[in-house]
Amino acid sequence: MATAAPSFTLAAHARRVYLDTLLLTVPAAVRSVAAGASRFATDKADLATLQKRQSALTGLREPLLRWQHALTAALEATSVGATALLPGSLASSLLASGKAGRAPKLQLVDDDTIELQILASHFALAMQDKAAWEFTDLQARMLQLEQCGEFGANDALRPHVVGKAVMDSWLAVGLSLEHWRTLQPVLSMAFGELLEEAYHETNRWLIGEGVRPEIDLRPFIRRSIGVHVAPDMTKPSFGPTDAASGVSDETRLMTRMGGMARQSVDHAEAVLGRLNRLVGRQVPAFADTTEAAPSPGLVKAIADAQSGLQGHLQGQGANRDDRTEISAPALLRELQQRKVALKEAATTPVERATIEIVALLFQSLLTEEKIPATVRVWFARLQMPVLRVAVGEPDFFATMDHPARRLIDRMGACVMGFDVGTRAAGDALDKEIKRVVQVVEAYPDTGRRVFQTVLTEFERFLEHYFKNENEATRKGVSLAQQIEQRETLAIQYMIELRKMLNEVPVQEGIRNFLFRVWADVLATVALKSGSGSEATKLMKRCATDLIWSAGAKISREERAAVIRRLPPLLKTLREGMAEAGIQADKQDEHIKALNNSLAAAFTAKAAAIPAERLDELMRRLEDLEKMLPDAEDLEIDESLVLDLSGHESTELQIVMEGGSMPTPAMLAWARELQVGGWYMLEHNGRIETVQLAWQGLGKQLCLFVSEQGRGTLFQQQRLASFLQAGLLVPAQDEAITVRATRSALAKLDADPQRLLN
């Protein structure tokens, strides 16, 4: 820590900054609610909803100023612990509305109180979602300063305490719960921004005092004993056992972390919003997002800077491998000189502000230690093409969807996980990044289109790269693709077998064996020897013989035929299961279950299957491949996913257990992960850095590979479980352009005049 002041003094001052910011922004938040209510009342909606919104707007107008004063007083009270929130003041507000009047006595919590607590909780969660990233950073800094494990339940820094103050003051001035429900989206947005601004300002002050400029959240992740094993992934909830309680405690912590990761887009947009507000105060015209042609002098200056930068970097940094390695300070000096010349050529405040912001973004990118030196120079050469786009397309600063930002983030995500000492593994990736930058430089007048084009090409390259060129991932991807091909074919066989046997009287045990085991055997043999091979035909005949053997055998001749045909049938069944990698003990279990079904045939308890139906089944089995559903159109339901444990090898481990019950949000997040990203994986007592190297059709299977080439394969549900439990976390908690924007914000906060100088 850079200051000699005691940590508790710093903490107390930080809390004062936080409260002062809250109080200063209350009027703006109240005005935002009023403006939002007005917009709400004119938006398209059904008649009943529109009437509610108009009623809420009317009811808000008269007490608006009193609500602002009451809220200010409530927030001031939180700073000394006298929060006086919901339960105490609820009685007076309910009395005023005619809902109270009961004699004061001990009683069960009534419905009004419960409903109010639910509304307050929802409101607090919505605010926390908006301010999650800033709150997490502030929490880490304050807990270090105050030397405690967590904030107190009524700590004014907690979102729910601010939320209760907002709701309590609302009720205190006579505003109704019905109007609160109607305007809750408006309230959540306005006070989420208020809370985010307060956290941001407090973080900024603490950083200025030298308190944890960089935050690493991993030391704060604490797991309970027994977290790695979920009792039953098919059950909707955990029971009240000790182990389940451990999972629940850990899940609460990590769901918050996972939720933050899922909200990365919202976080990024919030950072951009703060940047635009800050710059807009200095340069009002910056808020205009309509396309504007840059001045001719600036266009020429950008072209000259790009040409000069190319010549300078190529002249000083090329080594014998044609890889450029220039130190970050040298790059920054060169770019600083270019920035001065560009600002002199600019003709408007907007152009000068844009030049400054882009320069600050790339200053942050080029000082990112995790970007290898061989790649850093190519990022530096992107500055002029990005500046050209930012000047002509102001929405570069308005949304994270701009292809220039997405390209930088995707390339950065792929290179930032490499150990610098093992950079030889990334030669092909380096060359592709070099090619991408050179293409962008070659088409200066195409704007965002060239960035979108090379982004699409880069995505295609990654698929090819991990499959064919990266030594660490190539074998793992090949194995994973073989598994997917086999599993997909097995599921196709399963679906078609179910259709074929839908109206055939086959015992349940035989059905399950054919669907869950023999479909996999058919797929394995078909892939190894071909769908038309004698081996595959033998396995199909075996299925027909099994169905015939399980039918009712009434005559002595039929029973004798079963006894005669049973030994070779069982032998073929075992050979097929062995071919599919099923262990001997599992084979014994399946054979035992089949024997029980066959015994029922001897006692005539099974249904008889007509000979013509068996002949029809055999003909359909012979042509089974022609009837299989298309793999790309196949929707693989969770119940169809087979046991993958038989595919494990020394090069590939398959995660079959662990984690905790995933929420729909976690499943959605699992589907959004992008190839090339780096993660921290905890599995089998080992924590290691892994890269997402491959995703199968529909992202049902995902392969992560360590730098040593060790592959770990997840099925989608299990992947979501690990994300939920925090056993798999992104190595970078935000995109590099977002981090660069936050860095630029800090510098502009400290010296806004640099935008125009």
Side-chain angles (χ1 to χ4, degrees):
M1 199 176 295
T3 177
S7 63
F8 287 103
T9 302
L10 279 175
H13 196 136
R15 287 180 176 276
R16 189 70 244 175
V17 170
Y18 167 73
L19 181 61
D20 288 347
T21 306
L22 281 180
L23 297 177
L24 283 171
T25 50
V26 162
V30 171
R31 288 195 300 271
S32 179
V33 171
S38 297
R39 290 194 303 272
F40 230 32
T42 57
D43 285 348
K44 290 183 179 179
D46 59 84
L47 182 59
T49 301
L50 210 55
Q51 288 175 341
K52 288 182 179 179
R53 292 175 178 177
Q54 290 169 348
S55 174
L57 175 62
T58 302
L60 183 63
R61 283 172 179 157
E62 189 274 328
L64 193 66
L65 189 58
R66 288 188 287 115
W67 176 42
Q68 177 180 317
H69 294 328
L71 175 55
T72 300
L75 290 173
E76 287 177 336
T78 64
S79 65
V80 293
T83 52
L85 297 177
L86 292 174
S89 59
L90 176 61
S92 60
S93 59
L94 290 182
L95 278 168
S97 63
K99 293 184 179 180
R102 307 178 182 89
K105 62 180 181 179
L106 293 175
Q107 60 181 20
L108 294 174
V109 178
D110 60 28
D111 291 342
D112 291 326
T113 303
I114 293 174
E115 181 184 12
L116 195 57
Q117 290 172 341
I118 291 172
L119 287 173
S121 176
H122 287 172
F123 179 54
L125 285 173
M127 288 198 304
Q128 181 169 317
D129 284 347
K130 181 72 176 172
W133 288 82
E134 293 286 357
F135 172 73
T136 304
D137 284 3
L138 180 60
Q139 184 181 40
R141 294 185 174 105
M142 293 299 292
L143 292 182
Q144 175 178 306
L145 289 176
E146 297 178 335
Q147 300 173 22
C148 59
E150 60 182 349
F151 290 146
N154 293 318
D155 195 307
L157 293 175
R158 285 189 178 274
H160 80 268
V161 173
V162 175
K164 286 181 179 180
V166 175
M167 179 173 273
D168 189 54
S169 59
W170 175 279
L171 295 172
V173 298
L175 288 164
S176 71
L177 286 179
E178 186 63 31
H179 291 166
W180 177 278
R181 293 189 198 92
T182 301
L183 297 177
Q184 183 151 341
V186 174
L187 289 159
S188 300
M189 178 62 70
F191 286 98
E193 290 179 351
L194 171 141
L195 200 60
E196 183 183 37
E197 188 69 18
Y199 290 151
H200 172 69
E201 286 300 313
T202 313
N203 275 319
R204 186 173 70 86
W205 184 85
L206 286 169
I207 291 171
E209 294 297 314
V211 181
R212 299 192 69 173
E214 296 295 331
I215 298 292
D216 181 7
L217 294 174
R218 291 191 191 95
F220 292 89
I221 300 173
R222 298 189 299 272
R223 299 192 180 91
S224 303
I225 295 173
V227 67
H228 300 280
V229 181
D232 187 345
M233 290 297 297
T234 64
K235 294 181 180 178
S237 61
F238 296 112
T241 63
D242 292 340
S245 297
V247 174
S248 178
D249 292 341
E250 172 269 350
T251 300
R252 275 196 296 272
L253 172 67
M254 291 316 305
T255 299
R256 186 157 59 247
M257 300 287 291
M260 288 161 51
R262 286 279 298 115
Q263 294 151 9
S264 58
V265 174
D266 291 341
H267 164 63
E269 299 290 355
V271 172
L272 286 179
R274 285 206 303 275
L275 174 68
N276 281 275
R277 288 195 295 273
L278 186 151
V279 178
R281 289 195 289 268
Q282 304 295 320
V283 187
F286 190 80
D288 184 5
T289 57
T290 56
E291 291 191 11
S295 58
L298 181 57
V299 171
K300 183 178 185 303
I302 292 175
D304 291 344
Q306 179 175 314
S307 176
L309 188 62
Q310 291 171 351
H312 177 79
L313 296 180
Q314 290 172 348
Q316 292 193 12
N319 64 17
R320 63 172 182 237
D321 295 322
D322 193 30
R323 290 184 298 172
T324 309
E325 298 186 12
I326 301 179
S327 67
L331 281 173
L332 292 175
R333 284 194 300 272
E334 174 69 18
L335 293 175
Q336 177 65 22
Q337 294 171 4
R338 303 289 175 187
K339 184 186 79 171
V340 172
L342 289 167
K343 279 198 166 185
E344 290 175 352
T347 59
T348 67
V350 172
E351 288 182 346
R352 284 191 287 275
T354 302
I355 292 166
E356 182 66 35
I357 297 169
V358 172
L360 289 175
L361 293 179
F362 277 85
Q363 184 181 102
S364 175
L365 291 175
L366 299 178
T367 54
E368 175 58 66
E369 294 180 355
K370 294 183 179 179
I371 295 180
T374 54
V375 176
R376 188 179 290 127
V377 65
W378 298 108
F379 276 72
R381 283 176 56 166
L382 274 178
Q383 179 170 342
M384 294 307 143
V386 168
L387 175 59
R388 186 181 290 110
V389 167
V391 171
E393 302 176 14
D395 66 334
F396 175 80
F397 296 110
T399 174
M400 289 302 299
D401 286 337
H402 196 286
R405 284 184 176 275
R406 290 169 56 206
L407 176 67
I408 294 170
D409 285 337
R410 287 296 281 132
M411 294 193 302
C414 291
V415 301
M416 287 178 68
F418 278 115
D419 181 348
V420 176
T422 62
R423 274 306 293 162
D427 280 349
L429 184 58
D430 291 353
K431 291 176 182 177
E432 175 62 14
I433 291 174
K434 172 184 176 181
R435 186 197 70 83
V436 163
V437 174
Q438 289 176 331
V439 170
V440 171
E441 290 176 328
Y443 295 91
D445 301 322
T446 54
R448 70 169 61 214
R449 283 181 296 161
V450 67
F451 283 98
Q452 184 60 60
T453 299
V454 294
L455 175 61
T456 302
E457 292 174 353
F458 186 70
E459 297 285 2
R460 285 200 296 264
F461 161 79
L462 288 178
E463 182 179 351
H464 171 81
Y465 169 68
F466 290 119
K467 179 180 177 181
N468 300 302
E469 297 191 46
N470 187 307
E471 290 298 326
T473 63
R474 187 167 57 184
K475 187 167 187 178
V477 171
S478 177
L479 290 171
Q481 288 180 317
Q482 292 174 36
I483 291 172
E484 179 186 50
Q485 189 178 7
R486 173 176 156 182
E487 293 303 310
T488 301
L489 186 55
I491 292 171
Q492 290 173 302
Y493 277 130
M494 181 199 305
I495 292 172
E496 202 55 41
L497 283 171
R498 282 181 172 175
K499 292 179 184 177
M500 291 170 58
L501 299 180
N502 189 38
E503 298 180 0
V504 179
V506 179
Q507 281 200 8
E508 196 63 29
I510 302 296
R511 285 179 182 274
N512 288 337
F513 178 80
L514 290 172
F515 298 158
R516 306 298 297 184
V517 179
W518 208 246
D520 192 30
V521 171
L522 285 172
T524 304
V525 175
L527 288 174
K528 287 184 177 180
S529 58
S531 59
S533 67
E534 284 302 319
T536 304
K537 291 179 181 178
L538 175 62
M539 297 304 154
K540 291 178 179 178
R541 286 195 298 270
C542 186
T544 310
D545 288 345
L546 182 59
I547 294 170
W548 174 82
S549 300
K553 299 298 178 285
I554 301 174
S555 68
R556 181 178 299 175
E557 291 78 11
E558 288 178 326
R559 293 177 181 176
V562 170
I563 293 172
R564 184 177 65 254
R565 295 164 62 172
L566 189 57
L569 173 61
L570 294 178
K571 180 175 180 292
T572 305
L573 288 171
R574 284 191 178 275
E575 289 173 351
M577 288 189 285
E579 192 73 18
I582 298 175
Q583 300 296 321
D585 57 341
K586 286 288 185 181
Q587 293 181 32
D588 292 339
E589 290 179 15
H590 291 313
I591 293 297
K592 182 179 179 181
L594 290 175
N595 279 329
N596 293 335
S597 297
L598 295 174
F602 272 80
T603 58
K605 292 181 180 178
I609 302 176
E612 58 273 16
R613 179 62 65 87
L614 283 171
D615 291 341
E616 180 187 354
L617 280 177
M618 191 62 223
R619 288 194 298 272
R620 293 182 66 182
L621 277 170
E622 288 176 352
D623 296 328
L624 187 59
E625 287 74 22
K626 298 178 182 178
M627 298 180 285
L628 295 180
D630 189 77
E632 293 187 0
D633 298 331
L634 193 64
E635 293 188 7
I636 304 177
D637 184 80
E638 178 68 20
S639 63
L640 298 182
V641 177
L642 304 180
D643 182 4
L644 303 181
S645 59
H647 301 290
E648 282 207 324
S649 65
T650 55
E651 298 89 1
L652 184 68
Q653 58 180 344
I654 299 172
V655 181
M656 302 299 297
E657 61 181 11
S660 51
M661 177 62 67
T663 64
M666 287 296 125
L667 286 166
W669 186 19
R671 288 190 289 269
E672 292 172 8
L673 301 187
Q674 292 184 304
V675 167
W678 288 86
Y679 299 83
M680 297 299 296
L681 171 64
E682 181 174 344
H683 182 54
N684 287 344
R686 180 173 56 230
I687 299 178
E688 60 185 344
T689 303
V690 294
Q691 188 173 29
L692 178 53
W694 174 84
Q695 292 171 314
L697 292 174
K699 300 187 177 181
Q700 284 291 333
L701 295 176
C702 290
L703 176 71
F704 295 81
V705 181
S706 69
E707 290 179 275
Q708 294 74 35
R710 184 169 42 252
T712 304
L713 187 67
F714 285 89
Q715 191 270 331
Q716 189 179 93
Q717 178 89 5
R718 186 63 56 183
L719 177 61
S721 299
F722 268 57
L723 290 170
Q724 173 91 9
L727 301 174
L728 182 74
V729 295
Q732 309 297 327
D733 57 1
E734 60 186 352
I736 60 172
T737 59
V738 177
R739 183 179 303 180
T741 305
R742 285 208 296 138
S743 175
L745 263 172
K747 292 181 174 64
L748 292 174
D749 269 339
D751 181 15
Q753 290 302 314
R754 67 189 301 162
L755 285 166
L756 301 176
N757 291 340

